[in-house]
Amino acid sequence: MRNWLPLALLATAPAWAQEEVPFITTPDQVTLAMLQAAGVKASDHVIDLGSGDGRIVITAARRFGASGLGVEIVPELVVQSRANARRAGVAQRVEFLEQDLFRTDLARATVVTMYLLPEVNLQLRPRLLALAPGTRIVSHDWDMGDWAPDRTLTIDVPDKAIGREKLSRVHLWTVPAQVQGLWCATGAQLEITQRFQAFSATLTARGQAASGQAAPVRVFDGRIEGARLQAVGVHGDRLQWQGGALQQDDGRRFVRAGAAGCP
Ligand SMILES: C[S@@+](CC[C@H](N)C(=O)[O-])C[C@H]1O[C@@H](n2cnc3c(N)ncnc32)[C@H](O)[C@@H]1O
């Protein structure tokens, strides 16, 4: 038997009760705000984790032309979602699967939407952070602990069914490229420390670093926006200055250091 406790109560309930999230729908205006915050467009593939009656994925297809997948553990809701998609005329672009969200392959997603619980968001967090840089994550009401959102919107929901606050929060994250570590270029090396979207990079002239002399070092901090660190583009294991921040380094290409450091 499912535990249909209000979401607000489950948020403080013991772990055994948080294995499941009850079915509570995202109001239409919040659904729209979530999809707009993520900038959903026709080329996007939206995955809703715990898709309920399918409304988020169906709206993404109907209003923005996106394709989508909803995964939902309650079979009746999957049947209802498919019927809703047919009625909305988007059955060709969306799919609903009866599936555990924790066993869902997220690789195709360009946008992930969630209306779950804080603990569930935190459990999903490592998998979300491993998605392609630039993937947008939108969560209704619940955040992801110390992975601060890039943006939070507050929307009045006078008829909200749960909680004392008659409003919803929409949190948006853009998955940052993983750039932590040492990067090497001809004549220079770059040591980057990263905490989610924030980075601190130290650029050192390599000949001097290796000889133990005091190397000219420049330290700069900034934010990672998807696959870009401000003036630096990240392409898998390559990183390239693209102008602006450090003019004399423009066009310089760095590759990830091997186990032995920079050659
Ligand atoms: C709060 S509702 C949100 C529904 C929909 N996403 C929306 O925003 O309107 C959460 C949904 O997650 C589903 N759910 C809970 N645990 C799940 C799991 N492990 N895998 C897939 N779906 C799950 C519930 O059945 C419920 O329909």
Side-chain angles (χ1 to χ4, degrees), residues 179 181 183 188-195 197-205 216-224 228-234 239-250 252 254:
V179 292
W183 298 78
Q189 68 181 44
L190 188 66
E191 181 78 49
I192 302 181
T193 56
Q194 173 174 7
R195 184 147 177 79
Q197 306 95 319
F199 75 90
S200 179
T202 304
L203 183 70
T204 311
V217 164
R218 267 168 301 157
V219 179
F220 53 103
D221 302 323
R223 282 180 69 77
I224 306 165
R228 291 187 61 78
L229 291 73
Q230 294 171 337
V232 184
V234 185
L239 189 147
Q240 183 176 4
W241 301 119
Q242 291 171 332
L246 298 167
Q247 283 175 5
Q248 62 272 49
D249 294 304
D250 286 359
R252 187 174 266 178
F254 289 80

Side-chain angles (χ1 to χ4, degrees), residues 89-230:
V90 296
Q92 301 297 317
R93 288 207 299 285
V94 301
E95 189 182 7
F96 292 97
L97 299 178
E98 181 190 330
Q99 187 168 288
D100 185 345
L101 61 90
F102 287 106
R103 294 173 188 275
T104 299
D105 180 359
L106 303 178
R108 239 196 105 194
T110 55
V111 176
V112 176
T113 57
M114 316 185 293
Y115 185 23
L116 299 168
L117 285 169
E119 292 75 11
V120 179
N121 284 8
L122 280 178
Q123 283 178 62
L124 284 167
R125 194 171 90 169
R127 294 189 55 210
L128 298 172
L129 276 164
L131 292 176
T135 306
R136 289 90 80 208
I137 317 289
V138 198
S139 173
H140 179 182
D141 274 348
W142 306 115
D143 63 17
M144 282 197 269
D146 57 355
W147 181 15
D150 296 306
R151 201 173 151 209
T152 296
L153 308 173
T154 303
I155 296 149
D156 287 330
V157 184
D159 54 352
K160 188 157 179 164
I162 56 156
R164 269 176 296 170
E165 283 186 323
K166 296 300 170 196
L167 52 84
S168 283
R169 289 193 175 77
V170 168
H171 303 288
L172 170 73
W173 296 259
T174 299
V175 173
Q178 300 298 320
V179 292
Q180 169 96 16
L182 183 64
W183 298 78
C184 317
T186 310
Q189 68 181 44
L190 188 66
E191 181 78 49
I192 302 181
T193 56
Q194 173 174 7
R195 184 147 177 79
F196 304 114
Q197 306 95 319
F199 75 90
S200 179
T202 304
L203 183 70
T204 311
R206 276 188 44 215
Q208 290 155 305
S211 67
Q213 298 168 18
V217 164
R218 267 168 301 157
V219 179
F220 53 103
D221 302 323
R223 282 180 69 77
I224 306 165
E225 284 152 17
R228 291 187 61 78
L229 291 73
Q230 294 171 337

Side-chain angles (χ1 to χ4, degrees), residues 34-44 46 60-61 64-66 111 113 136:
M34 290 171 77
L35 298 171
Q36 283 170 337
V40 171
K41 52 193 178 306
S43 55
D44 278 314
V46 177
F64 302 98
V111 176
T113 57
R136 289 90 80 208

Side-chain angles (χ1 to χ4, degrees), residues 2 7 19-26 48-53 55-56 71-74 77 99-102 115-116 140:
R2 276 172 200 285
L7 218 61
E19 286 167 18
E20 293 184 357
V21 185
F23 173 48
I24 299 172
T25 53
T26 294
D48 188 29
L49 296 176
S51 48
D53 62 5
R55 60 182 57 211
I56 293 182
V71 294
E72 172 55 56
I73 211 154
V74 178
L77 288 172
Q99 187 168 288
D100 185 345
L101 61 90
F102 287 106
Y115 185 23
L116 299 168
H140 179 182

